[in-house]
Amino acid sequence: MIAQQGILEEIVNLRNQALGEIMQAENTQSLEEIKIKYLGRNGLINNLIKDIKELSEPIRKQIGITVNDTKKTILNEINEAESKIKKEKETNFDPTIPGIKPVYGSTHIITEAINEIEDIFKHLGYVRRRYPEVEWDWQAFGSLNFSDNHPARDEWETFFIDKSASKKFGQMLLTPHTSSGQVREMEITKPPIRMINISKTYRRQSDASHYPMFHQFEGLFIDESASIANLKGTLEYFVHNFFSEDRKTRIRPYNFPFTEPSFEVDISCGVCNGRGCKLCKEGWLEIGGAGMVHPNVIKNGGLDPNVYKGFAFGWGVERVYLMKTNVGIDDLRTLYSNDIRYLKQF
Ligand code: PHE
């Protein structure tokens, strides 16, 4: 007859012995040996309890529980020690070997241009916005005073992406211009409004100076007394800060359905200082559209056109960046080719 107390004590002893050996094991092979020695079919623990059948049921049960716990503990320790050894092996490096320098990333030049534009307008109190790239006809055209079959929908070379139109907003499309943010802004902000919406825009075009995805920045100013003089002053502020103090601006009459009057804005050529050269011909470079917000647009934004007036302008980020830097990018598409070797140059 074996004594119950004796077995329990022996099990504890074996456990402590095993844990001690595990702690000292230096490689996975000795851990494997420890496993066999204690937990193997003919290992020390199984040997110890091989006569357990002679004991009475409740005692057998208690010993069984202890044995299971012990086996589990030993196995856990072995596994842990094993992964520790493996990890050490991996991280075991020679600190005297010269390191590998991490590659420094930098922002894309168009991201830099966007940040700079945002910063300039912030100084005038403009709030940066981003409006959806996937839009409805209503925000992109309808609310901006384009009549239902206005040919400008073709002129803008829009990507329509869903033929099943929404009853309320019309067809779904990739926004062709940041003016789609005008009505959205009026809906969420009480005047005075000073918005600078810089977002991705899409048009069906691809050549050396056009890419199907590009960026625009759209300024929208609404209050009770906005004037053309305010518009001109704002454009001048931007041009002086983004280009340089000596660049002049001028506005020419133009036509957009959502502004009245509408303008094209030119800046004096940086190459010839406005005297006229091969690049600009007559001293001016066209930079983008602007105008006084049409009363219908103000109405569509939920505001009273008898109370509020506004001006807006929408220019291309890539375009102003290339005009500013003269970096000699002769094909705009390369900016989005994602070739790091190319982009690194700037
Ligand atoms: N949305 C116009 C375009 O893409 C530019 C514009 C914006 C014109 C705001 C007037 C006012 O060409």
Side-chain angles (χ1 to χ4, degrees):
M1 189 70 158
I2 47 170
Q4 169 209 355
Q5 207 49 42
I7 290 192
L8 287 176
E9 252 170 49
E10 262 311 295
I11 293 172
V12 174
N13 282 345
L14 282 180
R15 190 190 70 175
N16 291 345
Q17 198 180 311
L19 296 187
E21 285 175 30
I22 292 168
M23 255 165 71
Q24 283 177 359
E26 282 178 352
N27 50 44
T28 49
Q29 200 194 328
S30 36
L31 286 170
E32 195 53 39
E33 281 162 13
I34 297 171
K35 200 190 233 170
I36 295 167
K37 177 171 164 194
Y38 290 91
L39 307 178
R41 189 130 51 100
N42 294 316
L44 295 176
I45 293 181
N46 281 345
N47 260 343
L48 186 68
I49 55 166
K50 67 174 188 282
D51 297 329
I52 198 174
K53 277 181 247 92
E54 293 170 24
L55 297 172
S56 65
E57 170 65 27
I59 296 167
R60 253 180 21 215
K61 202 169 165 195
Q62 198 195 342
I63 291 175
I65 291 170
T66 315
V67 164
N68 277 345
D69 279 353
T70 305
K71 282 183 174 173
K72 229 192 252 164
T73 310
I74 294 175
L75 195 62
N76 272 349
E77 288 297 315
I78 288 177
N79 288 342
E80 235 164 69
E82 201 168 48
S83 47
K84 212 163 124 196
I85 286 171
K86 279 189 187 149
K87 227 193 222 143
E88 265 167 20
K89 232 193 208 161
E90 278 166 18
T91 52
N92 191 5
F93 75 102
D94 178 353
T96 60
I97 294 174
I100 303 164
K101 269 202 194 140
V103 184
Y104 287 113
S106 60
T107 39
H108 192 281
I109 40 181
I110 293 305
T111 307
E112 275 172 29
I114 288 173
N115 291 343
E116 196 181 335
I117 293 165
E118 176 181 347
D119 223 46
I120 292 172
F121 283 104
K122 258 191 193 158
H123 280 93
L124 294 177
Y126 281 67
V127 177
R128 166 79 195 272
R129 298 284 195 212
R130 294 169 177 82
Y131 282 113
E133 288 168 49
V134 179
E135 252 309 356
W136 298 105
D137 182 287
W138 169 252
Q139 281 84 0
F141 295 122
S143 68
L144 296 175
N145 214 24
F146 287 77
S147 60
D148 276 352
N149 289 320
H150 198 292
R153 280 187 174 83
D154 288 341
E155 224 172 82
W156 258 249
E157 297 164 322
T158 307
F159 288 104
F160 288 95
I161 57 175
D162 192 352
K163 290 275 175 230
S164 57
S166 136
K167 269 213 180 71
K168 202 164 158 202
F169 297 130
Q171 217 166 308
M172 197 183 265
L173 41 81
L174 295 183
T175 196
H177 59 172
T178 42
S179 301
S180 57
Q182 289 192 12
V183 162
R184 286 190 177 275
E185 180 69 19
M186 288 183 236
E187 282 167 354
I188 62 164
T189 310
K190 262 183 60 197
I193 291 172
R194 287 189 184 89
M195 166 197 90
I196 186 80
N197 169 25
I198 315 179
S199 298
K200 290 193 171 73
T201 45
Y202 299 84
R203 292 184 196 179
R204 219 176 268 279
Q205 54 189 10
S206 184
D207 58 41
S209 51
H210 295 93
Y211 193 68
M213 185 283 301
F214 59 109
H215 298 79
Q216 284 191 333
F217 58 107
E218 179 100 3
L220 177 70
F221 181 101
I222 307 265
D223 75 2
E224 287 163 21
S225 61
S227 68
I228 295 176
N230 296 151
L231 167 64
K232 187 101 195 311
T234 305
L235 301 182
E236 241 156 48
Y237 180 85
F238 172 74
V239 167
H240 287 169
N241 282 279
F242 189 76
F243 295 99
S244 70
E245 285 289 337
D246 50 13
R247 300 296 277 273
K248 294 188 184 52
T249 56
R250 75 171 184 191
I251 51 180
R252 278 182 288 113
Y254 198 73
N255 173 53
F256 296 105
F258 42 96
T259 44
E260 183 57 40
S262 303
F263 310 108
E264 284 262 272
V265 182
D266 296 336
I267 61 168
S268 58
C269 177
V271 174
C272 62
N273 267 332
R275 280 188 294 272
C277 66
K278 255 206 328 234
L279 175 72
C280 64
K281 311 247 159 43
E282 288 171 6
W284 296 94
L285 296 167
E286 180 190 313
I287 190 162
M292 301 306 290
V293 182
H294 195 289
N296 287 352
V297 178
I298 294 189
K299 200 158 48 182
N300 289 332
L303 301 174
D304 182 351
N306 294 317
V307 178
Y308 294 110
K309 298 179 182 41
F311 62 76
F313 49 90
W315 299 354
V317 173
E318 286 81 357
R319 187 174 167 78
V320 295
Y321 176 77
L322 296 186
M323 281 168 86
K324 167 182 161 125
T325 52
N326 270 329
V327 283
I329 293 176
D330 51 12
D331 190 337
L332 189 76
R333 291 170 292 192
T334 48
L335 280 179
Y336 297 112
S337 62
N338 288 342
D339 187 335
I340 294 286
R341 290 166 307 176
Y342 175 79
L343 293 170
K344 254 186 178 167
Q345 305 174 90
F346 307 108

